[in-house]
Each structure stands twice: as structure tokens, then as C-alpha cells.
Amino acid sequence: MRRRDFLGVTGAFVVGGRLPHLASGGRYTRHAARPVPTPAQLAWQRDELALFAHFGVNTYSDREWGDGTEDPRIFNPVRFDAGQWARAARGAGFRSIVLTAKHHDGFCLWPSAHTRHSVASSPWRGGSGDVVREVADACRAERLGLGLYLSPWDRHEPRYGSGTPYMDYYCAQLEELLTRYGPVVEVWFDGANAEGPNGKRQVYDWARMHATVRRLAPQAVMFSDAGPDVRWIGNEKGVAGETCWSTIDPASVPYAGYDAPNVGALLQEGDPRGSVWRPGETDVSIRPGWFWHPAEDDKVRSAENLMSLYFSSVGRNSKLLLNVPPTRDGLLHDADVQALAAFGARRRAMLARDLARGARVRGSGRDAGAVVRGDATRWWSAPDGATEAVLDVALPQAVSCNVIRLQEPIALGQVVERWTLAAEVAGGWQDVARGTTIGYTRLARIETIRAQRFRLSLSSALGPLRLATFGLHLDTP
Ligand code: FUL
């Protein structure tokens, strides 16, 4: 397909600064157009790692879900230091912190003008503290983005279940959060929707919630099972699908909290035929619970375990949102800080050395050498119309590696459906890895091999075939 064909067929660029849609033509007949990410979705994905911080009255009551009757006076993080959270996050390679400004119990970590159920009624800092402000300031100091979780389910607020009056309350709180604390990069909507203090259930006005965020924080991505910008990955185990498309059919998960037998798998894998770009976010906790519990101090995931999570989330075209819950002191626990640091060091060491960098790459099409230049914004393109292609990679000498890193230039969409990697090892050519989707990043772990020549076969694609990165790494404990 020639470039002018697909511009001519659609006849237009997409509004909002996006790249042009890729329309059908020539031999890419399965789809009329491939969705592409917005700049905010692209930036969100390239960050790879975000830290989740569940903090609130549950931290003191030792519960996972408060029932809304908690006395605000239990909240007193006497050694509170958001700088400690942000430094631990930054040092381990995380790029943002998503804070539970309000969880299901309704207690607000900022002094909201619309309720007394907040830090203002706690003894912390004599009732003049503001957790959201201090986390926002700490994020700015460490050059981290700020994300906020505002639970729609509110088990304290009497207006919950009343319809519009509760939505007025909820949106007024969103407005406080999105206007007082500087730019917010992510708004996290939880789909939980059970009864409130009056035994009534609230019908959430998602359209109004989304419009409020778009108006006040156009730069933010919104997360929920149903997006609209970023989707839940369908489980809390830290596992994206081996096959993971960033596209989905919006009708298949119409609203957050939607329950159907196949929804988990659908969110985990996405849908190659999906009409919208809605990449998956993998949220998982470093401990068994989301909130801090003293009994879980010896159940913190190890660096090895966190590496596995990295491979099963970021390495499968998702983003990792790792929860590290602050303690009653208002600090991250030493065990968690150490695990984060060890994970960060190991990930950095693995990525710092790309053994394929500068290799000689042969393949038909344009600029095969781009895949080993370490610049994900440049790519190799297979010949027009090709839905399969081979890249031959020859290194100056044999290397030992156990991780393959592939990236598509996702600013142009996601198309690869199947790939195989062969290497010339002692006994001859052998297939060493194979997979389905690539997307932003596919990391494949293999047994350590020593080889000098590799052959990547891309054997099926839904649109123009391109690759931005072919990387080889060695991950060592
Ligand atoms: C769930 C909530 O019910 C949990 O408490 C936690 O916040 C998790 C991230 O989302 O839906």
C-alpha cells in the first residue's frame, strides 16, 4: 500500500493532534482503520511504571474496606513524609504516584469543603494537614506525575444513592482535586457500586464524570474497566494476556463494574478488531492486601517476584501500577522500600545493556537498522502491503542473553499478530521464542543462550508491518 492510498481513502487526519488513521487498502483488508493512541495515552504507556498508594482510615482500622462509620480521629500519621514515598518511587524507576484521595469508606485525604469526613477532622497536624497537597508537592519535587483515585462508591456520604445530589457532591470533589493541586496525569475510577449508608445504591453518571475530568484535566488519562482512556487488565494478579491488544470494542465493556462471564479475559487480551485504543493497566499489590496491615510485613514481594510482574505486565504490552501501601506512620515500610530498590536496580541493569545495539540487520523494506539504534521513535517498515517479513540480525560477536525485547511504533497503531525468533546456537538454528502480539513492548524470557545470529520472523499482521526495537538483554539475579 502506498502512503497516499491510505491518506486518500480516509481523506482526513484525526482531530486532536493524533497521527492519521491507517485505512484499508491493498492487502490489509481485515480492518478499515486501525486505532492509534492519543499523546496522553502514549505518554502514559511509555512511563511503564506507576506506584499505587492505598492510604486512609483502613490503614488504622486494619481493614480492606471501611464501612464509612470510622472515626476520623483514628487517622494520625505522625511521621508522614510524602517525600520518602516519592524518592523510593523515583529511585526504583517509577514515573508517577496514584493516591487513594478517597476510598470506599468516604474519608477524604484532603480538606474537602463538601464534607467534614476528612483529614480536617483528624488530629493529624491539628486538623490542618492535606495528604493530597503533600503528595502532589513531593511528586513535583521528584519529577513524578500525580494520579488520583476518587472512589464513586462512598459508604459514608448520606447523599450516596440519591441520584443527582450525590453526583453533584462527587463532581464537586473531582473539581477540588483537579483544580487545587496542579496537573494530574491519571484519574482512577473504581467500578465498585454497592449500597451506601442508607441502603441505597447510586447510579453513577459516567458521562458527567468523564466530562468533568476532560474539562478540568484534559491532559489526564481516565482509568476504569471501561476506560475511557485506559482499561483495567481484568485481574489483580499482575498478569496481562500473553496476547494483549491495546484495542477493544467499547460495547463489550459498556461501563465500569460491568459483569459478564467473559469480561476478565476480554480485558486481559483486548480485541484486535476493537474500534478504540484503550491499553490495559495492570494493578497489583506488593503485599496481599491493598492497604497496609502489620501482619503482612513479612509478605512483601521479593525483587525476583517484582521482576516477574514486570515481565507479565509491561512485557506484555501493559503498564504496571504497583501498590505500595504506606504504614500508620505515613511512611513506606522498610521491607517495601528495599524490595522496590532491589527491583529498580535489577530492571535498570537488565535494560541498560542492549546486546543487539549496533548489530547488522538485514530485511526487506525500509531502514532495518532502525530496530537496533535504541530509539523507539524510529522504525523499520516492511515492504508496502506485506503482512509477513523476516529480519536477520548479525552481531559482531556471540552474546549470552535471556530476554528478547520487541517494540512496535505504537504511535501508528498495533498490528503484529504472530512472531518467531530463531537463533544460531551450537547445534544449528533453533526457534528460541515465539509469541502473538507485541505492541508497545514484548519481553520474552528464555533460557540463557549464546548466539551471534538471530532471525525474527513476523508472520501475521493486521496492517502495515513495522518494528521499532529488536533488543537482547541478560537478566541476572
Ligand atoms: C478495587 C477496590 O475495591 C479495592 O479496595 C482496591 O482499591 C482495588 C485497587 O480496586 O476495586
Side-chain angles (χ1 to χ4, degrees):
M1 179 172 51
R2 293 180 309 276
R3 187 171 171 79
R4 73 168 180 277
D5 288 339
F6 62 76
L7 292 182
V9 170
T10 53
F13 286 83
V14 181
V15 289
R18 296 189 192 183
L19 288 154
H21 270 257
L22 303 174
S24 74
R27 280 147 277 180
Y28 307 117
T29 50
R30 275 182 279 181
H31 296 274
R34 302 292 304 161
V36 296
T38 62
Q41 287 171 319
L42 205 51
W44 168 90
Q45 184 129 31
R46 286 183 179 150
D47 278 351
E48 293 197 3
L49 301 174
L51 200 91
F52 215 178
H54 275 69
F55 189 46
V57 284
N58 297 341
T59 311
Y60 298 85
S61 62
D62 206 8
R63 295 175 76 176
E64 274 292 303
W65 280 3
D67 61 13
T69 63
E70 293 77 16
D71 186 334
R73 286 174 298 186
I74 63 177
F75 185 82
N76 196 12
V78 285
R79 297 173 59 210
F80 182 82
D81 178 8
Q84 185 246 12
W85 312 6
R87 286 188 297 277
R90 181 85 202 173
F94 289 71
R95 306 300 301 270
S96 59
I97 296 181
V98 180
L99 170 71
T100 53
K102 178 179 90 166
H103 202 252
H104 310 327
D105 51 72
F107 179 78
C108 300
L109 292 182
W110 79 103
S112 171
H114 307 287
T115 180
R116 295 176 57 78
H117 199 56
S118 78
V119 281
S121 303
S122 80
W124 180 57
R125 307 228 157 117
S128 61
D130 183 341
V131 174
V132 178
R133 162 103 39 226
E134 294 197 29
V135 173
D137 290 349
C139 283
R140 203 166 304 121
E142 292 298 325
R143 300 189 315 285
L144 297 171
L146 172 70
L148 295 170
Y149 173 128
L150 183 70
S151 171
W153 184 28
D154 188 323
R155 305 178 82 186
H156 176 83
E157 173 53 40
R159 278 168 284 187
Y160 182 88
S162 64
T164 304
Y166 176 74
M167 290 320 302
D168 291 345
Y169 171 72
Y170 184 86
C171 289
Q173 293 202 316
L174 265 182
E175 182 150 353
E176 288 181 330
L177 292 173
L178 299 176
T179 55
R180 285 187 189 174
Y181 302 104
V184 166
V185 297
E186 182 162 350
V187 176
W188 220 87
F189 289 125
D190 190 272
N193 181 201
E195 292 174 355
N198 304 324
K200 291 192 203 142
R201 244 178 99 239
Q202 172 74 33
V203 176
Y204 302 145
D205 185 346
W206 289 108
R208 182 172 169 193
M209 292 151 71
H210 294 167
T212 304
V213 177
R214 282 281 187 266
R215 179 166 55 85
L216 300 170
Q219 74 290 342
V221 295
M222 288 181 259
F223 165 98
S224 87
D225 317 12
D229 303 317
V230 176
R231 72 174 196 265
W232 184 41
I233 207 66
N235 65 79
E236 293 177 338
K237 293 187 242 143
V239 186
E242 284 262 10
T243 295
C244 187
W245 293 96
S246 290
T247 45
I248 201 152
D249 170 7
S252 60
V253 190
Y255 55 86
Y258 175 74
D259 204 10
N262 62 339
V263 147
L266 192 67
L267 289 169
Q268 207 180 14
E269 297 191 357
D271 181 352
R273 279 152 211 85
S275 59
V276 297
W277 187 270
R278 192 174 286 169
E281 183 170 87
T282 302
D283 63 321
V284 60
S285 188
I286 198 166
R287 292 158 170 255
W290 291 104
F291 284 87
W292 178 77
H293 305 288
E296 296 179 354
D297 283 348
D298 59 356
K299 297 194 174 67
V300 176
R301 290 177 188 268
S302 62
E304 175 74 41
N305 188 298
L306 294 175
M307 279 304 281
S308 298
L309 285 183
Y310 181 68
F311 281 103
S312 63
S313 56
V314 176
R316 293 183 182 175
N317 187 36
S318 180
K319 176 167 178 171
L320 178 59
L321 176 61
L322 179 70
N323 181 62
V324 186
T327 66
R328 286 177 193 156
D329 282 345
L331 295 169
L332 303 186
H333 192 277
D334 275 351
D336 305 52
V337 172
Q338 277 169 31
L340 278 179
F343 160 67
R346 181 153 162 193
R347 170 178 169 269
R348 242 192 317 271
M350 176 182 88
L351 294 178
R353 250 191 108 207
D354 180 352
L355 302 157
R357 191 70 61 84
R360 186 166 50 73
V361 186
R362 293 228 166 102
S364 49
R366 265 195 318 274
D367 202 7
V371 302
V372 291
R373 267 185 227 129
D375 176 359
T377 64
R378 305 290 301 275
W379 57 83
W380 156 75
S381 316
D384 289 353
T387 52
E388 49 186 307
V390 172
L391 284 178
D392 278 301
V393 180
L395 308 181
Q397 72 249 325
V399 299
S400 295
C401 62
N402 57 12
V403 174
I404 320 299
R405 183 160 179 264
L406 305 174
Q407 296 191 293
E408 287 182 69
I410 59 161
L412 298 166
Q414 182 187 1
V415 303
V416 175
E417 279 192 300
R418 201 157 45 245
W419 58 270
T420 306
L421 182 72
E424 192 180 27
V425 289
W429 282 94
Q430 269 177 30
D431 286 354
V432 293
R434 59 163 47 95
T436 52
T437 50
I438 296 176
Y440 165 67
T441 294
R442 180 73 169 100
L443 295 170
R445 274 180 138 169
I446 59 171
E447 290 289 313
T448 304
I449 54 165
R450 195 162 172 80
Q452 188 171 358
R453 294 176 61 199
F454 296 83
R455 176 167 300 152
L456 179 69
S457 306
L458 302 161
S459 48
S460 180
L462 297 176
L465 195 49
R466 305 177 175 99
L467 196 73
T469 304
F470 174 86
L472 298 170
H473 299 265
L474 186 64
D475 171 40
T476 42

